[in-house]
Amino acid sequence: MTTADWFSSPDDATERLAATGYLADPATATTAYLAGALEKPLLVEGPAGVGKTELAKAVARASGAELVRLQCYEGLDEARALYEWNYKKQLLRIQATQATGDASSWDETHDDIFTDEFLLTRPLLTAIRREEPTVLLIDEVDKTDVEVEGLLLEVLSDFQVTIPELGTVSAVRRPFVVLTSNATRELSEAVKRRCLYLHLDYPDAEREREIVSSQVPDLDERVAGQLVTTVARLRELELKKAPSIAESVDWARTLIALEIGDLDDKAIADTLGVVLKHASDHDRAVRELRLRR
Amino acid sequence: MNYRVGDVDEPGEQRSGSGLLDRHIAFLEALRAAGLSVSLAEDLDAVAALSAVQWGSRQTVQAAYAATLVKKQSQRPTFDALFDLWFPRMVGSGVGAAGTGGDGADDAEDGATGPDAAGERFSVRDGAAALRDFRERLAEALGADDQQALGDLAAEMVARFGAMPGRGPGLSSWSAYTALQRVSPAELTDQLVAGLLAEGRTDEEAARTAGRRVDAFTRRVEDDARRRIAEEKGPEHVANVALRPSIDRLDFLSARRTDLEEMRREIYPLARRLATRLTKEQHARRRGPLDFRRTVRASISTGGVPLTTHHKPKRPHRTELVVLCDVSGSVANFAQFTLLLVFALRDQFQKVRAFTFIDHVHEVTHHFKPGADVVDVMADLAASTSHAALWGRTNYGRAITKLAENHADALGPKSSLLVLGDARSNYSDLALDTLAELVGGIRHAWWLNPEHRRHWDNGDSAASRYGAVVPMVECRNLTQLGEFVHDIL
């Protein structure tokens, strides 16, 4: 098994992630480096919109690896996560054998229809069988049922998948695995134990300003500063959903589109809907920040 | 994952002689003692991670430990506190503590020769002028919210104003309390507020921000005092007293103001988690009893063999909930949290009605409008407390009687009653008969008591007497509350 070297040091991780437009803080960079160096899956938790999924994409971009994504949802099963036999094709094969009238070759057919040709690989198996560098993103793992976690265990700890008809498929090259979770439920201890853990939170003002500026380069430096300060003020309020980085960036784009050159109280009040998505949050912000409607 | 045994020895620092491995193991032991479940596999991961990173930066080491050992964000404060004790930011007063300039080198030497010497030196320098100078610098740092400077100032403050010189080595100590009394950063709040107002913040916002910064600085000072004590007496000595339980295990009754704010932020995520879990479990149990007719019909298409069984849909039963909660000073926090959680889960119940009482019953259902703002609801509840009191002394008996008299319509055969309170009724009549009568006519009744079970029946608590009528459950923190609400749904 070949070991891929993803990042050579935490600083290297910071630099290369930054080059792809992902500004990581030291803890994120260190953890991303460790996930590569120790070849362990990385579990990323945090509120929505702080760049959990984006981290996996950035790692893929930074290391030139391909991203294989498994989006989790309630009711996801192994046929859609691991592999499935292409039974239609198998049926055709059997019929074709029968049509030739060669009845004696049943044993042959029997062996034949459980081969690679009839296997439909799903994201987990695809990621394991790839020989090129791969980033496997298992997105929103908390949305799945508990049984799927059991399925993940073999993949996450040994990077192998057991298919009864074919035997065990081991990874040729270990993928860089990123699991993301919004923490709507606690993941099992068994999954957590196999992963490195990273909690992403809202960034500090300085970093957020850098992120906004890099994502929306057209934005005036001064307005970016005002925007970040306002978002920080909003996060200090007791809101149902505090604005995330994704929303700050959206806001910046809105300001560009509306050609607002100065984020004063009126401009904030007019465009507040971009960052706050609950009516009660909206009212609270208007009241606390003394915005005139 | 394969670990080469050599990994441990490779960097050279971890050989048995250096004590680093001992410290690592002691640190893990402390984490386990504090309630983090650190397995052997994670221990090995941590060692592998430490071998993979450079040791130059403390932050990197901390990140490596955190990534491998802490798998729950709520445990992170505990981890950080213990990390600060076992791997302190600096030793003694540190090199950077000489903020007054000039004699930085001397200070560093003092730090090396022993904390006592440093302590004495600082106490000599502790005078009115030094205090004034220090407070000026502190006000400046707080105004700019300069984290680095605040960290240094906290260390300097403990060293200079909080030192309690002992008679010999190992006997001196540091007191955050003394230091805070001397400098009293809280008095700088007004100055800070003025500064923030000048920046264009609103009144309440400025007051809140200033309060938060001062609180944060106070915590830093306490942390630094602990660090100094840990250095003197060993981290194990401090770990037991230094740690506060994580926010979901913190007692409602012993929460500070900042904790309460943090807990309130936890309510909606908790409600969301509970709702997700409930939906999932209901889906799993969705199959009702066998629908014989449909099963036999379907079996005809497979030659009379019932390959698939069909089931009647299960009717979800929804509870009508009546909440009766004590809002007297001692248990008000607890009552508010439980009310908020119940209302956050409103759609899981058919109907919720809430009553508050001290010695008189007052209905508060109308405060909980769908989508209402949490802060407003809390404010309304606080304001309505006066309606729940006639004389202001908690009287459970009177409240129960009044509920039966005035709001009997709320308690029908389909409803369930949830009583929140510590069952401390100032030795008044308990109205046990009325309560038994009420409970007899409804579907379920529970009593949540925010006190530890060992305090039940002490003093004026009538816990077991009420407990005989209504099943009483101990509910001291968010975890227990979440579990309880999940179980009754």
Side-chain angles (χ1 to χ4, degrees):
Chain A
M1 193 164 71
T2 48
T3 51
D5 44 345
W6 295 92
F7 301 110
S8 61
S9 71
D11 293 338
D12 179 49
T14 314
E15 269 171 38
R16 282 167 60 191
L17 288 176
T20 68
Y22 189 91
L23 302 169
D25 60 7
T28 310
T30 308
T31 317
Y33 157 70
L34 283 175
L38 305 184
E39 300 189 312
K40 291 192 75 86
L42 173 60
L43 170 64
V44 190
E45 267 186 5
V50 289
K52 300 188 291 294
T53 308
E54 199 52 42
L55 175 63
K57 291 183 186 166
V59 170
R61 281 199 301 271
S63 50
E66 189 173 313
L67 185 77
V68 176
R69 179 169 178 164
L70 173 67
Q71 180 70 45
C72 295
Y73 50 88
E74 204 188 323
L76 178 80
D77 57 2
E78 68 178 352
R80 275 169 288 190
L82 266 181
Y83 69 91
E84 196 175 9
W85 288 107
N86 190 346
Y87 72 94
K88 288 176 196 150
K89 209 170 164 189
Q90 286 175 333
L91 271 178
L92 278 176
R93 175 86 179 96
I94 294 169
Q95 281 172 354
T97 321
Q98 281 170 347
T100 56
D102 193 2
S104 63
S105 64
W106 164 245
D107 283 343
E108 211 175 283
T109 319
H110 171 264
D111 289 342
D112 202 35
I113 58 171
F114 289 109
T115 50
D116 240 16
E117 194 190 341
F118 299 95
L119 191 68
L120 293 175
T121 59
R122 301 295 188 214
L124 289 182
L125 187 59
T126 312
I128 279 181
R129 299 218 299 184
R130 275 176 58 85
E131 287 171 16
E132 299 80 39
T134 312
V135 174
L136 170 62
L137 167 64
I138 305 177
D139 213 3
E140 307 197 349
V141 74
D142 53 331
K143 295 265 163 44
T144 58
D145 311 309
V146 184
E147 295 78 41
V148 178
E149 282 183 24
L151 192 114
L152 285 175
L153 292 182
E154 191 186 9
V155 178
L156 294 185
S157 59
D158 298 328
F159 292 94
Q160 63 179 37
V161 172
T162 307
I163 304 174
E165 294 87 355
L166 284 184
T168 305
V169 181
S170 300
V172 189
R173 178 195 272 266
R174 288 198 172 184
F176 188 105
V177 186
V178 180
L179 297 93
T180 74
S181 158
N182 280 328
T184 52
R185 74 179 168 85
E186 282 288 329
L187 299 179
S188 71
E189 287 290 319
V191 167
K192 286 191 165 180
R193 203 174 56 230
R194 284 166 172 81
C195 299
L196 298 181
Y197 180 87
L198 174 68
H199 183 88
L200 280 182
D201 217 329
Y202 303 120
D204 54 22
E206 184 57 28
R207 185 170 303 282
E208 180 150 29
R209 204 174 50 71
E210 284 172 20
I211 294 172
V212 170
S213 305
S214 76
Q215 297 283 322
V216 191
D218 295 343
L219 194 69
D220 188 50
E221 192 73 3
R222 195 174 54 88
V223 182
Q226 289 175 329
L227 186 147
V228 168
T229 324
T230 314
V231 169
R233 286 168 72 187
L234 287 174
R235 282 189 196 137
E236 278 185 14
L237 303 176
E238 232 175 89
L239 299 176
K240 278 186 185 154
K241 172 72 184 81
S244 63
I245 306 177
E247 275 145 356
S248 311
V249 173
D250 282 350
W251 204 10
R253 296 217 171 98
T254 312
L255 295 181
I256 294 283
L258 294 176
E259 294 176 354
I260 294 174
D262 183 31
L263 194 62
D264 54 8
D265 283 1
K266 186 177 177 306
I268 294 177
D270 289 346
T271 53
L272 203 56
V274 183
V275 274
L276 298 179
K277 315 272 167 87
H278 285 277
S280 64
D281 285 358
H282 212 113
D283 293 345
R284 166 149 299 272
V286 169
R287 201 158 10 125
E288 297 265 341
L289 302 185
R290 301 274 166 77
L291 305 170
R292 289 174 304 276
R293 297 304 324 263
Chain B
M1 194 97 233
N2 298 318
Y3 296 101
R4 285 174 294 140
V5 180
D7 276 353
V8 180
D9 282 329
E10 235 167 33
E13 293 100 328
Q14 295 184 343
R15 281 192 201 95
S16 52
S18 73
L20 194 53
L21 188 59
D22 291 341
R23 183 149 283 239
H24 167 78
I25 288 170
F27 178 51
L28 256 56
E29 283 299 324
L31 286 177
R32 286 182 188 135
L36 276 74
S37 53
V38 180
S39 67
L40 182 60
E42 283 161 329
D43 175 358
L44 292 172
D45 282 348
V47 174
L50 288 178
S51 323
V53 296
Q54 297 287 320
W55 286 64
S57 136
R58 178 171 176 267
Q59 210 182 8
T60 310
V61 174
Q62 187 171 12
Y65 262 128
T68 46
L69 300 179
V70 188
K71 305 285 167 85
K72 248 187 224 164
Q73 185 58 17
S74 63
Q75 292 171 337
R76 185 64 200 245
T78 313
F79 167 83
D80 284 343
L82 285 173
F83 187 81
D84 282 349
L85 291 181
W86 261 264
F87 301 91
R89 201 160 64 87
M90 56 191 186
V91 176
S93 302
V95 185
T100 43
D103 46 8
D106 294 5
D107 276 340
E109 272 170 35
D110 280 335
T113 47
D116 286 302
E120 273 161 34
R121 261 186 63 101
F122 276 124
S123 63
V124 171
R125 284 211 264 142
D126 172 12
L131 186 60
R132 201 165 49 241
D133 170 60
F134 182 84
R135 291 187 60 169
E136 268 167 30
R137 280 186 292 135
L138 179 59
E140 205 174 296
L142 281 172
D145 201 18
D146 181 349
Q147 298 301 324
Q148 177 67 36
L150 285 173
D152 293 346
L153 282 172
E156 187 186 339
M157 181 164 146
V158 172
R160 195 186 281 196
F161 304 109
M164 300 197 294
R167 271 161 301 184
L171 289 174
S172 63
S173 189
W174 277 268
S175 161
Y177 180 76
T178 318
L180 288 168
Q181 284 292 315
R182 289 274 291 146
V183 180
S184 66
E187 281 174 24
L188 295 173
T189 311
D190 289 342
Q191 200 179 331
L192 199 53
V193 168
L196 286 167
L197 282 176
E199 282 176 26
R201 305 286 186 104
T202 62
D203 297 346
E204 300 117 51
E205 205 187 352
R208 196 169 44 228
T209 315
R212 195 168 298 156
R213 283 189 197 168
V214 171
D215 281 355
F217 181 72
T218 309
R219 211 166 305 131
R220 270 172 190 267
V221 173
E222 287 167 0
D223 287 349
D224 197 69
R226 269 202 298 275
R227 175 182 68 81
R228 300 297 291 255
I229 298 169
E231 204 171 281
E232 194 86 356
K233 302 190 172 151
E236 294 85 356
H237 174 81
V238 187
N240 301 332
V241 290
L243 286 179
R244 284 168 65 73
S246 58
I247 199 75
D248 53 343
R249 301 205 170 270
L250 188 66
D251 281 11
F252 291 121
L253 302 184
S254 64
R256 300 188 207 169
R257 188 170 53 87
T258 45
D259 297 329
L260 289 178
E261 248 177 57
E262 203 177 325
M263 279 183 175
R264 220 148 70 188
R265 284 168 195 263
E266 280 296 308
I267 284 282
Y268 272 93
L270 178 65
R272 204 190 50 200
R273 275 201 300 275
L274 278 176
T276 326
R277 209 165 120 194
L278 285 164
T279 331
K280 274 199 186 134
E281 286 174 7
Q282 276 161 11
H283 282 189
R285 282 187 276 121
R286 198 155 29 185
R287 266 164 44 137
L290 185 76
D291 188 338
F292 190 74
R293 206 181 136 86
R294 281 187 66 204
T295 307
V296 170
R297 246 202 209 157
S299 76
I300 293 170
S301 67
T302 48
V305 184
L307 280 184
T308 45
T309 55
H310 290 263
H311 297 262
K312 288 176 186 153
K314 204 170 182 180
R315 291 200 183 284
H317 73 270
R318 296 203 166 175
T319 324
E320 278 179 29
L321 191 66
V322 177
V323 188
L324 176 67
C325 64
D326 182 356
V327 286
S328 60
S330 55
V331 291
N333 288 335
F334 159 70
Q336 291 188 344
F337 277 116
T338 314
L339 270 181
L340 270 185
L341 184 63
V342 165
F343 275 90
L345 286 167
R346 206 181 314 105
D347 50 350
Q348 301 287 338
F349 303 101
Q350 200 169 33
K351 198 170 160 196
V352 182
R353 288 185 73 177
F355 300 91
T356 56
F357 72 90
I358 292 175
D359 53 8
H360 190 74
V361 172
H362 173 64
E363 177 155 14
V364 292
T365 314
H366 58 276
H367 289 309
F368 297 92
K369 291 175 282 290
D373 191 84
V374 187
V375 185
D376 289 347
V377 173
M378 299 300 266
D380 287 347
L381 277 182
S384 72
T385 308
S386 54
H387 296 293
L390 291 182
W391 297 283
R393 280 170 65 82
T394 318
N395 186 331
Y396 277 73
R398 205 180 123 76
I400 290 164
T401 320
K402 285 289 165 199
L403 180 72
E405 278 175 20
N406 300 343
H407 302 283
D409 58 319
L411 293 165
K414 272 198 279 182
S415 46
S416 300
L417 175 68
L418 179 61
V419 187
L420 314 173
D422 56 2
R424 291 188 182 274
S425 188
N426 292 317
Y427 303 105
S428 61
D429 176 35
L430 297 180
L432 284 169
D433 293 338
T434 321
L435 185 62
E437 212 172 289
L438 277 181
V439 171
I442 59 176
R443 179 181 277 173
H444 278 301
W446 304 274
W447 191 306
L448 291 187
N449 193 331
E451 288 190 324
H452 196 286
R453 204 171 272 274
R454 66 169 169 256
H455 298 307
W456 294 9
D457 291 329
N458 284 354
D460 61 345
S461 168
S464 63
R465 291 168 69 191
Y466 276 127
V469 183
V470 177
M472 196 173 280
V473 183
E474 173 192 286
C475 179
R476 288 183 296 136
N477 51 42
L478 283 178
T479 310
Q480 283 182 340
L481 180 59
E483 283 306 314
F484 171 78
V485 174
H486 174 255
D487 288 346
I488 68 168
L489 281 170

